[in-house]
């Protein structure tokens, strides 16, 4: 079984009546559903902080692998070094600038599960939502772009890594928002709404760039990868270390190694 093309059923000619942009949107929703699952766990279960941190570290490791092996290398093969380098750096710059602004609007601790979440009065729910949108939309665009290859397939490693990383993100934010006094309706409406935008972003990522030349696609993939890399270092990794301490590095490596192992199966 080729684990890099797990979605073979959806990609076969027998399903040609389903538009590719709609399939891309469906996979965007799937990867985003990790947020909803994490939200359910974070809201209804009182999980140990170190367990949450371990999940963040594991998700970070798997996403680090997908970023380099699946996205940056793919961007380089499509467009060469300079479109990849400029896009990768540009994505990090855009994320950092927008994140800098959001941090000062109440979204600084949007992925903290402890007592540092802003309360209803002192923080901005809009900033939290905007920050989560900023963190996740590039991932969803990558899902759509990943289906632009000649065989219109995408890597299971990338899909799995994004899903796994979204799970602890939803868990952390839901637990923190609950402790800060947010209502269940607010929390679940927020995350379901964000997941819907992920599906839309994936569909748009495919539909908009389906006819663009390879260098443009390369630049866009690299820019999304740069945004995701900056997000990992700014949000997920610090949270994992703050609660996981000396074991966060080890768990991150395990997540990276598992993603690497999955990439070798069937090939």
């Amino acid at each position: 079984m080729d684990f890099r093309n797990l979605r073979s059923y959806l990609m076969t000619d027998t399903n040609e009546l389903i538009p590719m942009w709609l399939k891309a949107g469906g996979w965007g929703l799937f990867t985003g559903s990790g947020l909803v699952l994490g939200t359910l766990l974070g809201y209804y279960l009182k999980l140990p902080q170190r367990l949450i941190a371990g999940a963040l570290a594991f998700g970070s490791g798997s996403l680090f692998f997908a970023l380099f092996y699946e996205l940056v290398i793919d961007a380089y093969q499509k467009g060469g070094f300079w479109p990849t380098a400029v896009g990768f750096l540009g994505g990090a710059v855009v994320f950092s600038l927008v994140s800098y602004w959001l941090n000062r609007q109440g979204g600084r601790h949007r992925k903290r599960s402890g007592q540092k979440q802003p309360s209803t009065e002192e923080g901005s729910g809009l900033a939290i939502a905007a920050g989560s949108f900023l963190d996740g939309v590039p991932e969803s665009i990558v899902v759509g772009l990943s289906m632009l290859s000649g065989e219109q397939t995408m890597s299971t490693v990338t899909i799995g890594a994004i899903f796994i990383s979204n799970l602890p993100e939803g868990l952390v934010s839901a637990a923190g928002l609950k402790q800060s006094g947010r209502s269940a309706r607010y929390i679940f409406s927020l995350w379901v709404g964000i997941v819907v935008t992920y599906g839309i972003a994936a569909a748009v990522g495919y539909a908009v760039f389906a006819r663009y030349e390879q260098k443009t696609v390369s630049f866009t993939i690299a820019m999304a990868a740069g945004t995701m890399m900056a997000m990992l270092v700014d949000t997920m990794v610090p949270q994992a270390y703050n609660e996981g301490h000396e074991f966060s590095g080890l768990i991150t490596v395990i997540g990276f190694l598992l993603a690497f192992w999955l990439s070798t199966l069937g090939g």
Side-chain angles (χ1 to χ4, degrees):
M1 179 179 182
D2 187 350
F3 279 82
R4 287 191 173 188
N5 299 295
L6 183 63
R7 304 97 24 239
S8 58
Y9 175 76
L10 288 179
M11 301 301 174
T12 57
D13 291 337
T14 58
N15 294 283
E16 60 184 2
L17 294 179
I18 303 177
M20 288 301 300
W21 64 266
L22 186 58
K23 294 176 184 177
W27 284 110
L29 289 174
F30 172 78
T31 56
S33 67
L35 287 170
V36 177
L37 178 58
T39 300
L40 288 169
L41 294 174
Y43 189 84
Y44 289 109
L45 299 178
K46 188 172 179 60
L47 300 175
Q49 291 297 308
R50 291 176 73 88
L51 177 62
I52 296 174
L56 279 170
F58 184 87
S60 296
S62 61
L63 198 53
F64 270 126
F65 177 84
L67 282 172
F68 176 74
Y69 187 79
E70 301 288 339
L71 300 183
V72 176
I73 295 300
D74 183 48
Y76 172 75
Q77 292 174 343
K78 281 181 167 63
F81 175 78
W82 286 112
T84 302
V86 174
F88 193 65
L89 181 61
V93 169
V94 170
F95 176 90
S96 298
L97 291 176
V98 177
S99 183
Y100 177 85
W101 179 79
L102 286 171
N103 289 345
R104 280 146 185 78
Q105 307 303 314
R108 174 178 295 276
H109 301 299
R110 60 186 178 272
K111 291 187 178 176
R112 290 196 181 268
S113 59
Q115 300 295 334
K116 293 185 178 180
Q117 280 277 8
S119 68
T120 305
E121 295 77 23
E122 65 188 16
S124 171
L126 180 60
I128 295 170
S132 300
F133 181 88
L134 172 68
D135 296 339
V137 165
E139 299 174 355
S140 301
I141 292 176
V142 162
V143 171
L145 292 174
S146 297
M147 300 176 70
L148 293 176
S149 64
E151 296 180 355
Q152 293 182 313
T153 61
M154 56 189 175
S155 169
T156 300
V157 174
T158 301
I159 293 298
I162 294 175
F163 178 87
I164 291 171
S165 67
N166 279 336
L167 181 63
E169 286 184 37
L171 193 155
V172 166
S173 295
L177 287 170
K178 181 181 179 181
Q179 291 181 16
S180 70
R182 304 282 185 177
S183 67
R185 170 183 253 177
Y186 173 91
I187 295 172
F188 289 105
S189 296
L190 173 67
W191 289 111
V192 169
I194 290 173
V195 169
V196 170
T197 66
Y198 288 6
I200 295 173
V204 170
Y206 177 85
V208 170
F209 291 95
R211 295 176 177 83
Y212 277 70
E213 62 179 12
Q214 291 289 77
K215 287 188 176 181
T216 302
V217 175
S218 168
F219 173 84
T220 306
I221 291 175
M223 187 169 185
T227 301
M228 293 161 66
M229 178 73 80
M231 179 273 293
L232 277 170
V233 176
D234 280 0
T235 60
M236 290 183 67
V237 172
Q239 172 70 1
Y241 177 78
N242 288 338
E243 300 294 343
H245 302 298
E246 66 274 12
F247 295 108
S248 59
L250 173 61
I251 298 172
T252 300
V253 169
I254 292 173
F256 185 97
L257 185 61
L258 177 62
F260 173 63
W261 175 68
L262 289 175
S263 75
T264 65
L265 295 180

